[in-house]
Amino acid sequence: MSNRFEIEDSFLNEQNAKTKKWIDEDFDHLAHVLKRRELDIEDLVAKAQSFRVAVPSWGVGTGGTRFARFPGPGEPRDIYEKIEDCATIFKLVRCTPAVSLHIPWDKPDDPDDLREFARSRGLAFDAMNSNTFQDQPGQNLSYKFGSLTHPDAAVRRQAVEHNIECIEIGRVLGSKAHSVWVADGGNFPGQMHFRRALERYLESVREIYNALPDDWRVFLEHKFYEPAFYSTVINDWGTSYYCASQLGPKACCLVDLGHHAPNVNIEMIVSRLIQFGKLAGFHFNDSKYGDDDLDAGSIKPFQLFLIFNELVDAELSNAAGFDPAYMLDQSHNVTDPIESLMVSAAELTRAYVQAHLIDRAALSEAQEKCDPLMALTVLKSAFTTDVSPILARARERSGGAIDPIAAYRASGYRRFKQEERPAQATIAAGIV
Ligand code: RM4
Ligand code: MN
Ligand code: MN
């Protein structure tokens, strides 16, 4: 693999040297501003450096809609090339040291070899993801009318076994969690018996649960519609919470930001799951209409900030059982996926750092004194502070790029990959 193009440290240093002046100036200015608020900028840089989010293997390929997919140049053609792209993201932003795999899209022939390939690039494996929403070539039974909740026990068995296989692969890769998003549902009233379907779900997921190694967790991911357009079996956080409670301590609820009806108060769902000790973590993305899978922070940055307000509140108060797994789950249809993932990771770090700026004593006082205007003012004061110099400094200190997009573009990475990776007719990348 040594003839494959990689961004060199020396190149990164040269790029960073060009941007050093502005970051020093802006950083010093922000340090003064924060000092007036009795905040030490160095503490916030340390917080930014500690932030971690996993990158989805399926996110580095170009996605698409149900209408079309427009492939980008130099797309990764297999899981090894996807790991190369994830390693490039990690090199530049430093907060993405793990990859979340989707099986069978990215099923490795030799999991030991893949683990070593990733490890040598500083990467580990995050949660596994199963896929019972499509039929694979040569598959025995179809998932057209469901998988884990299908009326036919043989289909349910096939779906359970697929999930157990994901856990087995994940075990070799060093993963510690398995995410189950089940697409089962109905397109028409009457198509599905709601209660019976949920009973079958629990029965199937219990088998998956029983196959988990001791130190693993299973993440139940809810979604209110799509691909089924009338009803979905695990449609909301309440159903997800019920199932996680029924299953036991290793089961918890994953929140994908795109899986709620418009205007739902997601930060409140997050707070409830924290309170009940059942928050698994996130699939971060953003959306305007539905499960749009747009880049995190691109549409509703204030909502993202409010979610991180809940997360940081739980972190600071040492909420029991609070150990959320952060992942991105996005489909990049019109941008370079590497750029989108780098910007998204930065936006999450931004929201995390901004949530650390919140004057929690003042917020609490406003709440206790029934002063809504002041409560909002406290939040807005944190949200409107531009923490970009903190993010840039954190990346620099961790050995990454001060300006990841500029460095990536200047490196010519995509051009080199276009030569190394001639287009293939059938690239199984992204979500179509
Ligand atoms: C679903 C859900 C899952 C993801 C698939 C591709 O809407 O978000 O997490 O794996 O899409
Ligand atoms: Mn998801
Ligand atoms: Mn989704």
Side-chain angles (χ1 to χ4, degrees), residues 58 102 105 129 133 181 221 223 256 259 283 291 293 329 431:
W58 60 103
H102 224 301
W105 290 343
N129 296 263
F133 47 90
W181 170 63
E221 182 178 2
K223 178 170 175 174
D256 183 312
H259 291 191
H283 277 180
D291 191 20
D293 279 319
D329 180 9
I431 309 161

Side-chain angles (χ1 to χ4, degrees), residues 137-157:
Q139 183 177 309
N140 258 347
L141 302 163
S142 174
Y143 294 135
K144 180 173 178 182
F145 291 108
S147 57
L148 295 174
T149 76
H150 196 285
D152 182 349
V155 180
R156 300 204 294 276
R157 167 118 319 276

Side-chain angles (χ1 to χ4, degrees), residues 222 234-245 253 269 273:
H222 65 272
I234 306 301
N235 60 304
D236 63 10
W237 77 274
T239 309
S240 177
Y241 173 72
Y242 169 78
C243 293
S245 318
C253 308
I269 293 174
L273 289 173

Side-chain angles (χ1 to χ4, degrees), residues 51-61 76 79 81-102 106 118 123-129 282-284 325-332 336-346 348-349:
F51 185 78
R52 300 275 178 269
V53 59
V55 163
S57 61
W58 60 103
V60 287
I79 183 58
E81 292 181 348
K82 288 181 185 181
I83 296 288
E84 271 189 338
D85 286 1
C86 294
T88 300
I89 295 169
F90 177 49
K91 177 154 207 139
L92 295 172
V93 300
R94 308 307 295 162
C95 60
T96 57
V99 182
S100 193
L101 278 200
H102 224 301
D106 294 312
L123 296 173
F125 288 94
D126 212 88
M128 302 298 291
N129 296 263
F282 292 85
H283 277 180
F284 285 112
Y326 296 154
M327 274 172 277
L328 287 159
D329 180 9
Q330 302 181 166
S331 176
H332 312 105
D336 179 327
I338 291 181
E339 294 191 1
S340 269
L341 288 164
M342 292 197 299
V343 170
S344 301
L348 298 176
T349 318

Side-chain angles (χ1 to χ4, degrees), residues 145 147-151 156 182 184-186 191-205 231-234 239 243:
F145 291 108
S147 57
L148 295 174
T149 76
H150 196 285
R156 300 204 294 276
V182 68
D184 297 19
Q191 179 183 337
M192 177 172 265
H193 189 285
F194 295 151
R195 275 189 289 137
R196 210 174 294 141
L198 190 59
E199 274 162 23
R200 286 179 183 145
Y201 172 83
L202 274 170
E203 198 182 287
S204 298
V205 179
S231 68
T232 293
V233 180
I234 306 301
T239 309
C243 293

